[in-house]
Amino acid sequence: MNLLEMNHVKKTYQNLEVIKDISLTVKKGEIVSIIGPSGSGKSTLLRCATMLETMDSGELIYLGEKAAWNDHTGRSVYAAKKERRKIRENYGLVFQNFNLFPHYSVMKNITDAPITVQNRDKKEVYKSARELLKKMGLEDKEQAYPCQLSGGQSQRVAIARALALNPKILFFDEPTSALDPELTGEVLKVIRSLADLDITMVIVTHEMAFARDISDRIIFMDDGIIVEEGKPEDVFSSDNLRTKSFLGRYGQ
Amino acid sequence: MSIKMMILQLAGGMLVSTQIFIVTLVFSLPLGLIIAFGRMSKNSIISTIVKFYISVMRGTPLMLQLMMVYFGPFYIFGIKVSNSYRLWATFIGFTVNYAAYFAEIYRSGIQSMPVGQYEAARLLGYRKSQTFFRIILPQVIKRILPSVTNEIITLVKDTSLAFTISVSEMFSMARALASSQTSMMPFVAAGLFYYVFNLIVAFVMERVEKKLSYYQ
């Protein structure tokens, strides 16, 4: 079954068509990278998928459960609040600028939602949070506050925070765009390690080499449409002029 | 009359002033938050009413407002009020006035919060009220603390306005004593009282600010 299914999504901001009829499916265990120039609608598509933005038109389906569908006039109708909450449990999102809670320690950033939102056992949550921190290479930062962390460390905490809720699918919205090359490397290494864990991921990124290495599938977007979609080796050796010119030296 | 006697007399006034101060804070701080919500309400009827309320509270003298609250029931509705209503009128007048100021301070703090905090909370599954009380409000409090301190210091001095409806707070007592004893001393004592009170307020608020400085 498809974990995520988006059908004929359209989104317009004040006369600007940001997304023009995009359809996209993600299967369990798949790693999908969305690449494309700035302003091509990648982030908006991700924000529509995570229901941070409402689509003007189109369907949004998680594990067969409809979060949004079209009414008879072709406009998107969203499920009731309660259903949306339930559907939201399926996924997590890692933001470009982390959005950690500055007044909470690293540990509390990770454990607060599992404890207060999911009502899970405190001990168990702390235990799994410590494991996550270890995986992120941050076991000594448990008591630190976000303002004491580097950008790379912050992003790794943000990834741990998203993972702590055990999402079935994890979205990344340009997770390294706010970081310098060195810090980018450490964050990409962590994301790579998640790939080995069989977590389904959808990654919007400008890191071409990384996208090529890690992805099962690459989606190239431009001007609100999917120009090309396929295996990394196919997209990177594409004959499509637009793809070629965007990829530049990364193309083969 | 000895200085000791004077101070003893003034002590009663101090107590009343302190009482006005505490009651006003206890009620206007939470009320201000509710008013701030009204001011930011998407319902335009609610937000317009609240906006009008705030503009009246800020646009007219507190002294006049106290008189309206105290004399209003009799002149408008013909209700005879008892003598003890003076203090109640003071509490009500101060609370509704200060709540309006606090509401605007809360609003400035809430609106300065980056939208990313709300989005992160939403993605993590926090409910609206959880988001507000766990994520937003603690950060808002830190941000607005300097403005709140200002307001609290003004409140200490404003308590003297209760003298206009003959509440026997510090300032009324000092004035009465000064004229009966033909002495400046009560005024000096009153001045000292307000000054020391505000020193304590400033000290406490500084401590609170320091306590919240563990994050940025």
Side-chain angles (χ1 to χ4, degrees):
Chain A
M1 192 197 298
N2 290 326
L3 256 186
L4 165 67
E5 201 175 312
M6 296 177 91
N7 295 322
H8 304 289
V9 178
K10 285 179 191 155
K11 174 77 185 171
T12 305
Y13 288 117
Q14 293 154 0
N15 300 328
L16 183 70
E17 254 189 303
V18 187
I19 298 179
K20 307 166 185 166
D21 195 7
I22 283 187
S23 297
L24 160 78
T25 56
V26 180
K27 290 191 182 61
K28 193 176 179 313
E30 223 182 353
I31 299 173
V32 179
S33 289
I34 305 176
I35 59 172
S38 303
S40 58
K42 311 182 296 291
S43 287
T44 307
L45 184 66
L46 210 62
R47 290 174 64 82
C48 285
T50 51
M51 291 196 271
L52 284 176
E53 282 317 324
T54 51
M55 310 177 292
D56 294 335
S57 170
E59 282 186 320
L60 177 64
I61 304 161
Y62 280 94
L63 291 145
E65 253 185 284
K66 285 193 178 182
W69 56 90
N70 283 333
D71 65 8
H72 64 279
T73 63
R75 294 197 60 85
S76 285
V77 194
Y78 279 81
K81 208 173 168 185
K82 214 174 143 192
E83 274 95 69
R84 289 206 310 270
R85 274 185 69 81
K86 231 188 122 239
I87 289 168
R88 216 170 257 139
E89 289 173 12
N90 289 315
Y91 58 81
L93 171 62
V94 175
F95 296 86
Q96 180 178 346
N97 50 359
F98 334 131
N99 289 332
L100 292 178
F101 303 133
H103 59 306
Y104 282 173
S105 68
V106 165
M107 198 56 173
K108 183 134 187 178
N109 261 287
I110 300 171
T111 55
D112 195 60
I115 292 168
T116 59
V117 175
Q118 293 184 328
N119 293 315
R120 274 156 58 189
D121 176 57
K122 234 176 152 172
K123 256 193 180 149
E124 175 255 323
V125 169
Y126 269 79
K127 200 175 148 245
S128 63
R130 293 214 167 86
E131 282 165 18
L132 278 171
L133 279 175
K134 203 168 166 202
K135 215 174 278 164
M136 301 293 144
L138 294 168
E139 53 267 71
D140 55 332
K141 294 291 180 196
E142 222 176 84
Q143 296 310 320
Y145 283 87
C147 60
Q148 299 163 322
L149 303 177
S150 73
Q153 290 169 335
S154 296
Q155 193 58 296
R156 284 183 278 156
V157 173
I159 293 171
R161 180 175 72 170
L163 286 173
L165 290 163
N166 300 322
K168 296 193 175 70
I169 178 167
L170 195 52
F171 294 98
F172 293 84
D173 187 7
E174 300 192 21
T176 59
S177 291
L179 307 175
D180 68 34
E182 211 171 359
L183 300 179
T184 296
E186 66 185 50
V187 170
L188 295 184
K189 208 175 109 195
V190 163
I191 300 177
R192 247 180 250 271
S193 74
L194 300 182
D196 302 333
L197 296 177
D198 236 14
I199 296 171
T200 311
M201 295 193 275
V202 177
I203 308 165
V204 168
T205 184
H206 287 301
E207 296 292 328
M208 294 306 138
F210 168 74
R212 186 178 51 199
D213 291 351
I214 195 180
S215 311
D216 298 313
R217 185 152 52 99
I218 289 201
I219 293 172
F220 173 53
M221 273 181 75
D222 187 27
D223 205 17
I225 56 163
I226 292 179
V227 176
E228 211 172 348
E229 163 172 23
K231 288 195 168 113
E233 53 270 30
D234 297 338
V235 172
F236 276 84
S237 60
S238 164
D239 290 329
N240 183 303
L241 284 175
R242 184 67 192 97
T243 312
K244 257 182 156 165
S245 94
F246 175 74
L247 288 173
R249 66 183 174 86
Y250 290 103
Q252 287 146 2
Chain B
M1 191 190 261
S2 70
I3 288 181
K4 203 175 154 196
M5 278 297 289
M6 262 186 215
I7 289 176
L8 222 59
Q9 286 219 8
L10 289 174
M14 278 183 208
L15 220 63
V16 177
S17 292
T18 312
Q19 209 179 347
I20 297 169
F21 173 80
I22 292 170
V23 170
T24 303
L25 275 191
V26 166
F27 288 101
S28 65
L29 279 170
L31 182 62
L33 189 58
I34 296 167
I35 294 167
F37 283 135
R39 173 75 174 75
M40 294 183 290
S41 170
K42 280 182 195 128
N43 182 324
S44 65
I45 299 170
I46 294 175
S47 72
T48 308
I49 292 172
V50 172
K51 227 168 137 175
F52 178 69
Y53 159 76
I54 291 173
S55 88
V56 170
M57 286 298 137
R58 296 203 299 184
T60 59
L62 175 55
M63 198 186 270
L64 189 74
Q65 291 166 18
L66 288 175
M67 289 193 177
M68 292 290 277
V69 176
Y70 182 58
F71 295 114
F74 179 74
Y75 285 119
I76 301 169
F77 304 109
I79 302 165
K80 276 214 108 170
V81 293
S82 69
N83 209 27
S84 67
Y85 177 63
R86 275 179 214 290
L87 201 56
W88 285 105
T90 311
F91 293 157
I92 294 168
F94 271 88
T95 299
V96 295
N97 178 278
Y98 271 81
Y101 282 95
F102 285 134
E104 286 297 274
I105 293 176
Y106 281 123
R107 184 171 70 92
S108 72
I110 291 169
Q111 291 182 340
S112 77
M113 285 298 294
V115 67
Q117 292 287 302
Y118 290 96
E119 290 184 345
R122 174 131 60 113
L123 259 298
L124 292 169
Y126 289 92
R127 287 170 189 282
K128 259 193 167 158
S129 63
Q130 288 174 323
T131 302
F132 185 75
F133 288 107
R134 300 188 71 85
I135 311 299
I136 304 300
L137 188 60
Q139 298 183 58
V140 165
I141 288 171
K142 182 184 160 90
R143 283 171 189 230
I144 65 175
L145 218 49
S147 318
V148 170
T149 304
N150 251 338
E151 218 47 57
I152 295 177
I153 284 173
T154 308
L155 171 62
V156 170
K157 295 175 288 180
D158 273 1
T159 56
S160 62
L161 289 173
F163 101 97
T164 47
I165 54 173
S166 308
V167 172
S168 45
E169 45 65 59
M170 185 68 188
F171 184 70
S172 317
M173 296 300 265
R175 219 170 60 124
L177 261 179
S179 65
S180 71
Q181 302 294 317
T182 54
S183 160
M184 273 291 285
M185 281 315 284
F187 284 140
V188 175
L192 261 170
F193 165 75
Y194 291 115
Y195 184 70
V196 172
F197 200 143
N198 270 331
L199 272 186
I200 296 168
V201 168
F203 175 77
V204 170
M205 295 307 279
E206 206 176 311
R207 288 290 293 268
V208 177
E209 264 186 58
K210 227 180 209 154
K211 222 180 151 183
L212 291 180
S213 68
Y214 69 89
Y215 72 91
Q216 274 159 10

